[in-house]
Amino acid sequence: MGFELSFAQTADDGAGNYATQSQLEELGNKVDSLQNSLNELNEAQSRTEVRLNSLSHEFSSAIQSLNDDNTAVKISVDSLKGECGELRDMQRSDTENLHQKIAETGDSVKSDLNARTVWFIVIAVLIVIILILVAVVLSMRLKKETSSIAEVRKAQDTLQSAQAKLQEESVQLDNKLIELLDRQMTTSGGNQSGAETDHSLALKVADEVARIETNLLHMDPSVKGYKQLQRAVRHIKDNFVANGYEIVDMLGKQYNGGMKAIANFVTDENLKDGQQIITKVIKPQVNYNQRMIQSAEIEVSQPE
């Protein structure tokens, strides 16, 4: 009985120890598992810290690079601002110099034009005087030698030759004058922007063109330089149109009372009743951008 009790106690003690050891093993396994999990977490945390350090370094490098780029851009912008300022100053200086040169050129050409006009008038007057003297001399000779038909014909030929020579000289002078006027119009054509247009040169040129066209109307087309002068007149009128001007063509046209012109009437027995022909343009009608800036002054031929 006592043996059984002792054995039972032993068995009981053994079972209890067995149960405690099993629990310890299970607890140890859990601790190992937790330790493994903790190690894995520590490793993950270490990797995360390494990655964070790497990203932080990359981010710092990127920020530094952006700062460097921003500094470089600021330097470039400041440099460009300086260059733009220099370009503005250069442009302003060039514009002022250009305006000054244009003004000086315009004054020089106008002075040259006035001087040439004076010379043209002087030469024309001298030619007229010479022609008058020749005519007087021929007239005196004709009076003294009325019996000599040959002398009369010679005098007529001389007079015609002098007239032809005068016409040729006049055509040459007009050609030179047209060339000068055309050059002046070309020079001053683009200098009126931004200010009120000065039409004085254009009106002067238009008056000269009208005078030359009137001379051509009454001149023999066989005169040397006649066709060249016609072409020059057409060219300068085209130049007028290109600059916004228009010289209204009236010469040789039928006159009517509705024309905006000052008309002087002269008698021409060769005209038929009712005919009124504009045979001379003293001042032409000039339009600028389809607006009249000068009215015409004309001479109208009509029968008695």
Side-chain angles (χ1 to χ4, degrees), residues 115-133 162 165-167 169-174 177 208 211 215:
R116 288 178 180 269
T117 302
V118 171
W119 276 109
F120 170 78
I121 295 173
V122 171
I123 293 172
V125 170
L126 290 176
I127 292 174
V128 170
I129 292 173
I130 292 172
L131 183 60
I132 292 174
L133 291 174
K165 185 66 175 177
L166 177 61
Q167 288 181 340
E169 291 292 336
S170 177
V171 168
Q172 290 179 5
L173 289 172
D174 284 340
L177 180 61
E208 291 296 330
R211 179 188 61 78
N215 291 341

Side-chain angles (χ1 to χ4, degrees), residues 71-85:
T71 302
V73 169
K74 287 183 178 179
I75 294 173
S76 298
V77 169
D78 292 338
S79 176
L80 288 175
K81 286 182 178 179
E83 293 178 1
C84 288

Side-chain angles (χ1 to χ4, degrees), residues 75-124:
I75 294 173
S76 298
V77 169
D78 292 338
S79 176
L80 288 175
K81 286 182 178 179
E83 293 178 1
C84 288
E86 293 177 359
L87 288 174
R88 278 197 302 270
D89 294 339
M90 291 175 62
Q91 183 181 14
R92 187 181 300 109
S93 176
D94 291 342
T95 302
E96 292 175 354
N97 292 334
L98 178 61
H99 287 166
Q100 183 178 358
K101 290 181 179 179
I102 288 172
E104 292 174 355
T105 302
D107 294 339
S108 175
V109 174
K110 286 181 180 178
S111 177
D112 190 19
L113 176 62
N114 293 332
R116 288 178 180 269
T117 302
V118 171
W119 276 109
F120 170 78
I121 295 173
V122 171
I123 293 172

Side-chain angles (χ1 to χ4, degrees), residues 1-193:
M1 185 66 179
F3 175 74
E4 291 178 354
L5 178 61
S6 177
F7 179 77
Q9 290 176 349
T10 301
D12 184 50
D13 290 339
N17 291 334
Y18 177 77
T20 301
Q21 186 175 359
S22 175
Q23 290 176 353
L24 289 175
E25 288 178 356
E26 183 179 356
L27 181 60
N29 291 333
K30 289 182 179 181
V31 170
D32 292 338
S33 176
L34 290 173
Q35 185 64 41
N36 290 334
S37 298
L38 181 61
N39 291 335
E40 290 177 357
L41 288 174
N42 288 333
E43 291 177 359
Q45 183 179 4
S46 298
R47 288 194 300 270
T48 301
E49 289 178 354
V50 171
R51 181 59 178 167
L52 286 174
N53 290 332
S54 176
L55 289 174
S56 177
H57 179 70
E58 292 177 359
F59 184 69
S60 298
S61 299
I63 290 176
Q64 183 63 38
S65 177
L66 289 175
N67 288 332
D68 294 340
D69 291 343
N70 188 33
T71 302
V73 169
K74 287 183 178 179
I75 294 173
S76 298
V77 169
D78 292 338
S79 176
L80 288 175
K81 286 182 178 179
E83 293 178 1
C84 288
E86 293 177 359
L87 288 174
R88 278 197 302 270
D89 294 339
M90 291 175 62
Q91 183 181 14
R92 187 181 300 109
S93 176
D94 291 342
T95 302
E96 292 175 354
N97 292 334
L98 178 61
H99 287 166
Q100 183 178 358
K101 290 181 179 179
I102 288 172
E104 292 174 355
T105 302
D107 294 339
S108 175
V109 174
K110 286 181 180 178
S111 177
D112 190 19
L113 176 62
N114 293 332
R116 288 178 180 269
T117 302
V118 171
W119 276 109
F120 170 78
I121 295 173
V122 171
I123 293 172
V125 170
L126 290 176
I127 292 174
V128 170
I129 292 173
I130 292 172
L131 183 60
I132 292 174
L133 291 174
V134 170
V136 169
V137 171
L138 291 176
S139 178
M140 294 175 63
R141 291 184 62 182
L142 285 173
K143 290 179 180 179
K144 292 179 180 179
E145 302 176 5
T146 54
S147 61
S148 176
I149 299 176
E151 289 294 330
V152 173
R153 289 181 177 176
K154 183 179 179 180
Q156 289 177 343
D157 292 341
T158 302
L159 182 58
Q160 289 177 355
S161 176
Q163 289 176 342
K165 185 66 175 177
L166 177 61
Q167 288 181 340
E168 289 180 5
E169 291 292 336
S170 177
V171 168
Q172 290 179 5
L173 289 172
D174 284 340
N175 270 315
K176 291 180 180 179
L177 180 61
I178 282 291
E179 181 181 355
L180 179 63
L181 294 174
D182 187 28
R183 187 163 58 248
Q184 171 63 5
M185 285 294 296
T186 302
T187 301
S188 63
N191 298 337
Q192 300 292 344
S193 60

Side-chain angles (χ1 to χ4, degrees), residues 255-301:
Y255 172 79
N256 66 76
M259 289 182 173
K260 297 179 180 179
I262 300 173
N264 301 316
F265 296 90
V266 296
T267 301
D268 188 346
E269 298 177 353
N270 297 321
L271 295 178
K272 298 178 181 179
D273 291 339
Q275 280 189 314
Q276 289 182 315
I277 306 300
I278 301 173
T279 52
K280 183 177 182 180
V281 177
I282 302 169
K283 282 185 175 293
Q285 178 181 333
V286 180
N287 299 332
Y288 180 69
N289 291 335
Q290 300 180 351
R291 182 178 62 86
M292 187 177 69
I293 59 173
Q294 175 176 281
S295 59
E297 183 177 354
I298 58 177
E299 185 174 280
V300 180
S301 297

Side-chain angles (χ1 to χ4, degrees), residues 187-235:
T187 301
S188 63
N191 298 337
Q192 300 292 344
S193 60
E196 185 177 355
T197 303
D198 181 10
H199 302 297
S200 58
L201 175 62
L203 296 179
K204 183 183 294 185
V205 173
D207 292 345
E208 291 296 330
V209 169
R211 179 188 61 78
I212 292 171
E213 286 186 324
T214 300
N215 291 341
L216 289 174
L217 180 66
H218 301 288
M219 189 181 295
D220 188 353
S222 63
V223 174
K224 183 179 180 181
Y226 180 92
K227 293 183 179 179
Q228 179 184 356
L229 184 56
Q230 272 190 326
R231 290 194 297 270
V233 169
R234 285 197 298 269
H235 176 74

